[in-house]
Amino acid sequence: MRREVPLVLTAMVGLTMIIAHFIPPFNILKDLFEDWFFIIAAFAIYLGVLNLIRVNADKIYRKSRDWPFGIVVILGFLVITIPGLFFSGGRSFSDPGTSFYFLYIHVYYPLSATMFALLAFFVASASYRAFRARNVEATMLLAAAFILMLGRVPIGDWITAWLPEGYRMGNAADWIMDFPQTAGQRAIMIGIALGVVSSALRVILGLERAMGGD
Amino acid sequence: MSGEVVGLWIGGILTLGIFSFIYKDNPFYKFSEALFVGVSAGYWFVVTFWQYFLPKLIDNLVLAYTVLTVEGKIDYHWVYLLGGGLGILMLLRLFPSVGWLSRWSLAFIVGTTAGLQFTRYLESNGIIQVKGTILSLFVWGDLNSTIGNIVIVVGTFCGLIYFFFSKEHKGAFGGAARVGVWFLMITFGALFGYTVMSRMSLLIGRMDFLFGNWLGLIK
Amino acid sequence: MNQENNQEVKSIWEKLLSIDRRIIFLFIAVAVAVPLFFKLSMRIPVTPVAQGTYQAIESLPAGSKVLASFDYDPGSMPELQPMAEAFFRHAFRNDLKVIIMGLWPQGPLQANIALEEVFQDEDIKAKSLQYGIDYVNLGFTAGNEVVIDRMGHSFEESYPKDGQGTPLSEIPLMRGVRNYDNVDLIFNLSAGYPGTQEWVQYAVDVFHVKLAAGNTAVQAPAMYPYVQTGQLSGVLGGMKGGAEYETLLGIPGRAVRYMFSQAVAHAVICMFIIIGNLAFFSIRKRKKTS
Amino acid sequence: MKDKDSHWTRVLSLFLFVFVSLFLGMQTCLAQEAEQAEALQDSLAQPPAPPTNVVAKDAPNDNGHALLVIWTLSADDGAGQNNVVSYQILRSDSPDGEFEVRGLVPAGENTYKDKGAKEKEDANYLPPHKDFYYKVRVRSDGIFSDSEVSLPAHAYGQWYHTGKTAVLLAVLIFSTFALVFITVARKGKKLYIRPLAGIEAVDEAIGRATEMGKPILYILGLGSADMIATIASFTILSRVAKKTAEYQTPILIPCCDPIVMAVAQETVRAAYLEAGRPDDYKQENIYYLTSMQFAYVAGVNGIMIREKPATNFYLGKFYAESLLLAETGSLAGSIQISGTDEIAQIPFFVAATDYTLIGEELYAASAYLGREPVLLGTLKGQDWAKALVMIFLILGALAATFHFQFFLNLFKVQL
């Protein structure tokens, strides 16, 4: 039961999805499975949330290091959940003017955007201290990066203004993006596609060890 | 109006809280980070409740129940109970003794994704990309397209050779693989440039918020 | 490498390399913030791929319906929000009908933020646009690419009601819109998964609908192969893409204003890489000679 | 592990299960006989001239809830009086019953796909195998004229989507490659995989660490234990740990996921046992740090600065932390070997570390070191598929250069 049911379930659902691609009547089953997929996905998110609460409650209870921040996590959770579930007009909870919307704009958004903005500083420091033209490959990479970084802003065209129009750094950036970059992306893309397909095949055939296969 | 002002101040202070990390790790940053973790979890909780859970599960079951009570018929919407059941199995992971049951629902999710990906990737990223690379190597009277097409065909070909693992990179084959690496490196360079661009844009956005919206220094 | 020389007197380059990283952080902060205070308008060069997205929208006749999927969250707002605003200005200027949706829960909210901004414009106010007739926000539905796939059969399957809980059949704009056959273009703003790649795979390749996109700079390069094959009409890349769109539209907005900061920041990063490499090579040379 | 044949029987029985039970079950709902409606037509001359030859037939390649209507454009569309604005498509269930409007298309178009819902409760439900009659109304500002009513047509589901043949072939070819090679690998035949630069460097890197008397740092990334990249990293870790056991060099593995940590401990313990030095295994060197991204980075960076490891491995799933780790490691003077399938992070690894396994190379490295038949087999299958793609590229480019259109048509995927 522990091993067989998941393997059979995976294979059955996976095969149905593939068959439905070629044989239209199977779409009825495919649609039903997709609906279940939504429902299970919802529960998966709940699982993550419950886990987070549990871990932090545990942290507070045991008074482990930085436990007061565990309280902040739980408070943060409640601060948005309670208004979102009960005081934001039900299904239209995300409309402008609701308290959920207010929290989204003034708490969630600044935090999330600033988290990513931090990376700008780290890119700068790494580019100074670690990005080296240590071999031919890294040199080509940095050269292409230079042309792109300068060519995508007007600076590139200023410093190459002595070249005839159409042959400046901006055009070089366009050319790199349109041709060599497209070729490289495509090679990676085809490789990834085959990788994804073979891993899907392993999963469906029950051969993927991480999924309990043999 | 005053709500807006309060909101701006909350946003401004939290932004500074996260930024304080670049000086060094400190309680102000830890507070903001912990708040972020809690608020995102709450955000997802609320959104899933109203937009997955209610319409996909509860609404369908209510419909089934209504049909049963009004018409006395067993409606096909009852099959959603099975979906809901698989969902509940997922939560069992919280209890170690019966946690293995969550593998059933996981198997369902994994199977669905694998099945969908299998054909889609072959079609969109495989066949259609191959088709897109079938380009004429000589375009009459158009040097630009001729060179461009040759670059795409040669680049894709050599890139694939680099990712071909069954033959050692020696001789002509090794040469082609080497050209392939160059194409990959140019691609990664472009990616590098674009990633830097992206990160800088985010920082600009936050700076504009701090100095413009919040402090009102940029008009 | 470093350990062996610890006792030696440090050269200028070594000292330069070992400066506190906070000094580098300061450089970046200044490079980004100071140019914001100058209203310098730069000529924005327009790339062919951005032109592609603009043309796809510009070529639609008045009254055409555009399905706009907002697949990003606040994390990417500086890059994608200017595109969102420019898109609404463009669509409403050309009297297009916009059906908003999102595969990311935060997406439809971002659309509302952009709408609020765009409705401040005098000429758009003058059109007195009405919800449900000129635009509609279907909200978010979970399920990633599965949602795209199912919308190919029927929008109603994935979105029985709009974001406000009104059944689709009661919304005038949605009358006669059953699936992708009834929209003229899909416009997608995307910051990752699910996003433009999924729209290409599940909507364009299966249901034969036209798609134009705006992406964060991180993922824009990956979209070029799709543009080359014609699976995608065009792609706006990052804040620069937003600035290009604003330039094409003739309404310079925030993205154009930010470009000066962006340019200075890029220059500073390039400078850092050059100095860092000079230091690296001169230190290596010195070691070899000694 | 089960014996070799069991998965074949399992697959076979699954195919049988899916095909027979579900397929036949549905057959009762959908009849398979297909009949195409014939053309009909005369036209009436009224301004604007009505469309002619209205034909309704089943829409192809669906599950039977749509009809396709095709007509000949009105003589006044784009010519004659040139006053046609649009065509309205009307439908009824009897030739002289009430017709309802189903759709509208602009002038110049001559087809309409009347798609219905497939649920009975839906107001727009279009039942399969029920006859419908169509007429097309041509409109020009207020006045209109109708075509004659079409012959009846009904929707039915198809058993095979004719536009997907290329995809089906691809599926079959790829699956065959993979399964054949898995079988070959299971029979114990050696499958060749080329040596990879990053992996070749491993021994040298461990030797260097031993000389310097410094530890080795192995980072498994931020991914969970079920991600392909993380699994590949475990295989490589097992090989690295065996070497460190032989050289008696300590290996530090800070983890950011408790499950990953548990698997890593198991992997390393087994490797030390295999190397014949179970007593040298130190569980306390493999520990859980924190699951928060930046806090984890701060912790690992602290280790790098304090311990100054001789070699850092970054193999697995990495996100924005890639450049932060690589930067600190490069400052600490460590040799760095990296690899991830997260494409956006590869540039940073290439620029800041000494060796990088690019995307698929990471999987190849794990198959190369692990020699597991399933992985080797699928990797070989991928290689053969790649070879096929390359052959098609060359032939295709030649065909396109010399304008052999037929070759392009091979790749036709009906959308």
Side-chain angles (χ1 to χ4, degrees):
Chain A
M1 283 295 267
R2 286 186 188 214
R3 258 171 55 85
E4 281 73 20
V5 173
L7 287 178
V8 171
L9 202 60
T10 308
M12 221 184 76
V13 177
L15 282 178
T16 310
M17 292 312 217
I18 295 174
I19 292 169
H21 196 76
F22 303 105
I23 299 171
F26 270 90
N27 278 323
I28 298 169
L29 265 181
K30 182 183 166 204
D31 288 351
L32 180 68
F33 285 170
E34 284 173 356
D35 259 345
W36 290 5
F37 178 91
F38 294 136
I39 295 168
I40 302 171
F43 278 99
I45 287 181
Y46 290 164
L47 176 71
V49 169
L50 288 174
N51 243 330
L52 182 82
I53 301 291
R54 200 182 59 164
V55 167
N56 280 287
D58 201 48
K59 203 167 162 184
I60 299 165
Y61 178 74
R62 286 168 198 246
K63 296 258 190 307
S64 35
R65 204 163 67 92
D66 283 344
W67 65 270
F69 297 110
I71 302 180
V72 179
V73 171
I74 293 179
L75 276 182
F77 175 76
L78 295 177
V79 154
I80 196 156
T81 320
I82 293 170
L85 290 182
F86 306 108
F87 305 107
S88 292
R91 284 179 205 243
S92 53
F93 67 101
S94 61
D95 285 352
T98 63
S99 48
F100 183 81
Y101 183 84
F102 181 89
L103 289 164
Y104 174 77
I105 293 295
H106 297 297
V107 180
Y108 182 76
Y109 166 55
L111 285 170
S112 137
T114 316
M115 268 300 193
F116 279 97
L118 272 186
L119 292 167
F121 292 108
F122 299 141
V123 164
S125 144
S127 69
Y128 181 61
R129 308 201 302 173
F131 296 160
R132 301 283 177 262
R134 57 186 86 231
N135 49 37
V136 184
E137 283 79 31
T139 312
M140 290 191 76
L141 188 152
L142 288 179
F146 257 70
I147 296 176
L148 259 298
M149 274 192 274
L150 295 178
R152 278 287 178 256
V153 291
I155 295 179
D157 285 346
W158 291 346
I159 56 179
T160 49
W162 47 277
L163 285 168
E165 193 140 355
Y167 295 91
R168 294 184 185 152
M169 209 180 255
N171 309 99
D174 281 345
W175 191 84
I176 287 182
M177 289 304 286
D178 286 345
F179 302 113
Q181 196 272 149
T182 298
Q185 283 282 357
R186 188 166 285 155
I188 297 171
M189 211 181 231
I190 294 174
I192 290 183
L194 293 174
V196 167
V197 170
S198 75
S199 117
L201 189 73
R202 287 199 298 263
V203 164
I204 292 171
L205 296 184
L207 298 171
E208 189 68 85
R209 204 179 243 185
M211 288 310 304
D214 51 8
Chain B
M1 192 57 220
S2 68
E4 277 298 298
V5 176
V6 172
L8 271 179
W9 275 84
I10 298 175
I13 290 168
L14 292 177
T15 302
L16 287 183
I18 300 279
F19 272 149
S20 72
F21 181 73
I22 62 168
Y23 182 69
K24 66 176 201 193
D25 202 359
N26 63 73
F28 189 21
Y29 168 74
K30 281 196 178 129
F31 172 85
S32 314
E33 196 195 22
L35 190 68
F36 179 49
V37 172
V39 168
S40 351
Y43 177 85
W44 279 97
F45 191 88
V46 173
V47 169
T48 19
F49 180 80
W50 292 114
Q51 297 190 322
Y52 287 59
F53 192 70
L54 206 61
K56 299 280 178 212
L57 183 60
I58 305 296
D59 283 359
N60 277 323
L61 291 180
V62 165
L63 185 70
Y65 183 74
T66 322
V67 172
L68 184 70
T69 47
V70 175
E71 299 176 31
K73 282 194 303 189
I74 302 281
D75 180 66
Y76 95 99
H77 280 97
W78 284 111
V79 299
Y80 282 88
L81 269 183
L82 266 172
L86 280 173
I88 289 168
L89 288 188
M90 197 81 183
L91 294 184
L92 291 184
R93 187 169 268 215
L94 290 171
F95 309 99
S97 55
V98 282
W100 58 274
L101 275 168
S102 71
R103 283 205 161 236
W104 293 15
S105 21
L106 208 60
F108 189 91
I109 293 270
V110 170
T112 320
T113 333
L116 277 175
Q117 281 179 342
F118 193 86
T119 43
R120 288 264 53 89
Y121 269 85
L122 267 186
E123 183 171 333
S124 301
N125 287 15
I127 295 170
I128 295 184
Q129 288 307 316
V130 173
K131 192 180 168 195
T133 316
I134 297 178
L135 297 166
S136 175
L137 298 176
F138 185 77
V139 186
W140 185 252
D142 187 348
L143 186 65
N144 234 345
S145 309
T146 304
I147 295 175
N149 286 357
I150 291 176
V151 165
I152 290 186
V153 173
V154 171
T156 312
F157 184 80
C158 294
L160 283 170
I161 286 209
Y162 179 76
F163 286 121
F164 191 80
F165 299 107
S166 300
K167 192 167 159 46
E168 201 165 350
H169 288 170
K170 274 186 184 158
F173 190 79
R178 186 130 183 95
V179 175
V181 175
W182 293 345
F183 274 93
L184 291 179
M185 286 305 141
I186 293 175
T187 307
F188 290 136
L191 212 55
F192 185 111
Y194 268 74
T195 308
V196 170
M197 192 160 135
S198 198
R199 304 294 181 235
M200 288 304 155
S201 303
L202 296 184
L203 184 58
I204 294 169
R206 289 329 284 159
M207 289 290 187
D208 191 38
F209 169 79
L210 281 181
F211 294 113
N213 305 34
W214 186 33
L215 300 175
L217 296 176
I218 303 169
K219 286 282 167 286
Chain C
M1 289 168 223
N2 286 352
Q3 293 90 332
E4 293 151 28
N5 293 37
N6 269 350
Q7 310 306 322
E8 274 180 42
V9 185
K10 283 188 171 176
S11 71
I12 295 182
W13 287 117
E14 278 167 325
K15 273 188 210 150
L16 206 59
L17 267 192
S18 58
I19 55 167
D20 194 328
R21 60 200 294 207
R22 277 171 281 200
I23 296 174
I24 301 166
F25 293 160
L26 190 69
F27 262 95
I28 284 297
V30 171
V32 165
V34 171
L36 282 175
F37 290 87
F38 297 93
K39 289 247 163 65
L40 197 73
S41 69
M42 302 178 102
R43 197 182 65 87
I44 310 289
V46 174
T47 58
V49 283
Q51 185 87 36
T53 294
Y54 174 79
Q55 272 309 326
I57 296 163
E58 183 64 20
S59 63
L60 296 173
S64 301
K65 287 172 181 141
V66 182
L67 176 70
S69 185
F70 285 68
D71 307 331
Y72 62 100
D73 65 3
S76 321
M77 204 163 160
E79 290 188 89
L80 297 180
Q81 206 65 8
M83 295 182 198
E85 286 165 18
F87 163 73
F88 282 127
R89 292 203 168 95
H90 195 185
F92 292 142
R93 187 178 78 181
N94 292 6
D95 293 316
L96 306 177
K97 311 283 182 196
V98 184
I99 302 163
I100 300 159
M101 60 166 278
L103 298 175
W104 288 36
Q106 302 91 334
L109 277 172
Q110 297 296 340
N112 283 340
I113 296 171
L115 281 173
E116 231 177 304
E117 184 73 31
V118 168
F119 286 151
Q120 311 282 324
D121 291 11
E122 285 308 319
D123 51 333
I124 287 176
K125 243 186 220 167
K127 287 185 188 266
S128 53
L129 300 169
Q130 273 183 294
Y131 183 86
I133 294 171
D134 299 292
Y135 66 100
V136 62
N137 193 337
L138 302 183
F140 157 79
T141 281
N144 304 335
E145 63 268 31
V146 175
V147 175
I148 305 177
D149 188 53
R150 307 190 87 188
M151 286 174 72
H153 305 119
S154 149
F155 284 9
E156 239 172 331
E157 254 175 56
S158 291
Y159 291 98
K161 291 163 181 163
D162 75 349
Q164 306 178 342
T166 317
L168 247 49
S169 50
E170 291 168 24
I171 300 169
L173 174 54
M174 296 308 289
R175 234 165 261 153
V177 179
R178 284 200 45 74
N179 50 44
Y180 298 131
D181 290 351
N182 313 109
V183 297
D184 302 279
L185 177 77
I186 299 176
F187 179 71
N188 171 236
L189 288 176
S190 139
Y193 167 87
T196 307
Q197 179 172 332
E198 284 67 35
W199 280 104
V200 169
Q201 291 181 354
Y202 293 85
V204 176
D205 292 350
V206 183
F207 300 102
H208 211 3
V209 58
K210 223 173 144 190
L211 174 69
N215 278 208
T216 55
V218 175
Q219 65 157 355
M223 296 304 135
Y224 273 68
Y226 294 129
V227 177
Q228 196 256 335
T229 52
Q231 285 159 292
L232 188 59
S233 300
V235 61
L236 306 164
M239 189 181 271
K240 167 73 184 341
E244 290 170 58
Y245 194 4
E246 287 173 358
T247 309
L248 284 166
L249 202 56
I251 310 173
R254 262 193 303 167
V256 168
R257 186 162 68 81
Y258 288 155
M259 268 307 110
F260 186 29
S261 281
Q262 185 92 46
V264 176
H266 284 195
V268 170
I269 292 281
C270 287
M271 201 186 68
F272 276 150
I273 296 181
I274 292 174
I275 297 176
N277 275 285
L278 283 178
F280 174 71
F281 284 110
S282 64
I283 293 170
R284 203 163 71 168
K285 202 177 155 197
R286 216 173 67 122
K287 260 188 209 162
K288 269 187 190 157
T289 51
S290 66
Chain D
M1 243 193 235
K2 291 194 164 188
D3 74 83
K4 285 170 213 157
D5 301 326
S6 76
H7 86 271
W8 289 105
T9 43
R10 195 190 303 148
V11 171
L12 205 68
S13 58
L14 274 166
F15 262 108
L16 279 179
F17 174 71
V18 175
F19 273 103
V20 178
S21 67
L22 301 176
F23 224 82
L24 292 181
M26 237 177 296
Q27 206 162 15
T28 53
C29 321
L30 303 152
Q32 62 272 70
E33 140 249 359
E35 188 192 310
Q36 299 208 346
E38 288 277 301
L40 112 128
Q41 254 14 287
D42 282 31
S43 62
L44 296 160
Q46 279 176 20
T52 52
N53 299 322
V54 177
V55 177
K57 58 182 183 184
D58 174 59
N61 299 326
D62 62 3
N63 52 6
H65 300 279
L67 287 154
L68 200 63
V69 187
I70 304 170
W71 59 92
T72 304
L73 293 180
S74 156
D76 293 321
D77 187 345
Q81 302 181 27
N82 198 14
N83 57 353
V84 173
V85 177
S86 61
Y87 296 97
Q88 240 173 359
I89 292 82
L90 300 96
R91 184 181 83 187
S92 168
D93 42 15
S94 69
D96 35 45
E98 200 174 313
F99 278 80
E100 67 165 320
V101 178
R102 294 293 300 169
L104 183 75
V105 297
E109 284 194 25
N110 69 338
T111 51
Y112 177 76
K113 191 169 176 183
D114 185 11
K115 274 196 192 177
K118 58 184 188 301
E119 290 85 13
K120 288 200 178 67
E121 312 83 61
D122 198 305
N124 199 21
Y125 177 61
L126 196 157
H129 306 293
K130 181 179 172 186
D131 278 341
F132 286 105
Y133 300 82
Y134 282 87
K135 59 184 182 183
V136 177
R137 176 174 290 173
V138 57
R139 306 187 66 101
S140 111
D141 291 327
I143 44 167
F144 60 83
S145 53
D146 287 355
S147 72
E148 287 199 0
V149 175
S150 74
L151 285 178
H154 60 253
Y156 54 89
Q158 276 75 27
W159 285 112
Y160 176 64
H161 191 303
T162 51
K164 299 286 185 195
T165 307
V167 185
L168 183 63
L169 279 177
V171 167
L172 293 178
I173 292 173
F174 185 83
S175 308
T176 315
F177 279 162
L179 291 177
V180 165
F181 281 110
I182 292 174
T183 320
V184 169
R186 284 197 166 166
K187 288 207 173 117
K189 192 164 183 295
K190 282 252 180 282
L191 294 176
Y192 176 79
I193 291 183
R194 74 172 161 86
L196 299 152
I199 292 304
E200 298 275 275
V202 167
D203 288 354
E204 177 205 336
I206 297 171
R208 183 171 172 266
T210 319
E211 263 168 45
M212 291 165 61
K214 305 256 180 193
I216 280 175
L217 183 69
Y218 197 107
I219 310 288
L220 286 149
L222 246 58
S224 55
D226 58 340
M227 286 181 173
I228 308 176
T230 318
I231 296 168
S233 186
F234 285 135
T235 316
I236 301 171
L237 171 64
S238 148
R239 193 47 67 98
V240 171
K242 202 175 153 205
K243 279 269 179 283
T244 60
E246 284 163 9
Y247 285 94
Q248 292 184 291
T249 303
I251 180 164
L252 307 176
I253 312 176
C255 301
C256 89
D257 181 308
I259 301 168
V260 169
M261 177 199 69
V263 181
Q265 286 176 343
E266 254 341 285
T267 312
V268 175
R269 190 205 308 273
Y272 271 71
L273 195 66
E274 204 186 323
R277 297 184 187 276
D279 300 337
D280 290 345
Y281 169 68
K282 290 196 183 65
Q283 178 139 336
E284 65 271 20
N285 281 348
I286 304 167
Y287 50 94
Y288 169 74
L289 218 55
T290 165
S291 51
M292 298 235 231
Q293 189 181 19
F294 287 114
Y296 177 73
V297 171
V300 174
N301 285 350
I303 298 169
M304 287 189 207
I305 291 163
R306 280 195 311 276
E307 309 272 344
K308 296 235 186 299
T311 308
N312 300 335
F313 290 91
Y314 311 110
L315 300 169
K317 199 87 183 164
F318 287 86
Y319 302 99
E321 71 281 3
S322 65
L323 78 156
L324 289 155
L325 295 171
E327 178 196 352
T328 317
S330 131
L331 282 183
S334 316
I335 285 195
Q336 308 201 83
I337 298 175
S338 58
T340 182
D341 60 356
E342 189 65 31
I343 299 293
Q345 303 305 329
I346 293 177
F348 299 120
F349 274 153
V350 173
T353 67
D354 302 278
Y355 298 96
T356 307
L357 296 170
I358 300 166
E360 268 190 292
E361 276 188 295
L362 179 64
Y363 310 153
S366 95
Y368 176 75
L369 293 174
R371 313 304 301 179
E372 230 181 275
V374 172
L375 287 181
L376 273 179
T378 40
L379 191 73
K380 275 280 164 187
Q382 277 165 254
D383 257 8
W384 276 65
K386 250 174 258 163
L388 203 61
V389 164
M390 288 189 272
I391 292 169
F392 275 133
L393 283 188
I394 298 290
L395 292 180
L398 292 177
T401 311
F402 299 108
H403 303 286
F404 294 147
Q405 187 58 35
F406 80 93
F407 194 80
L408 273 179
N409 291 343
L410 284 183
F411 290 90
K412 200 168 173 163
V413 174
Q414 197 185 338
L415 305 165

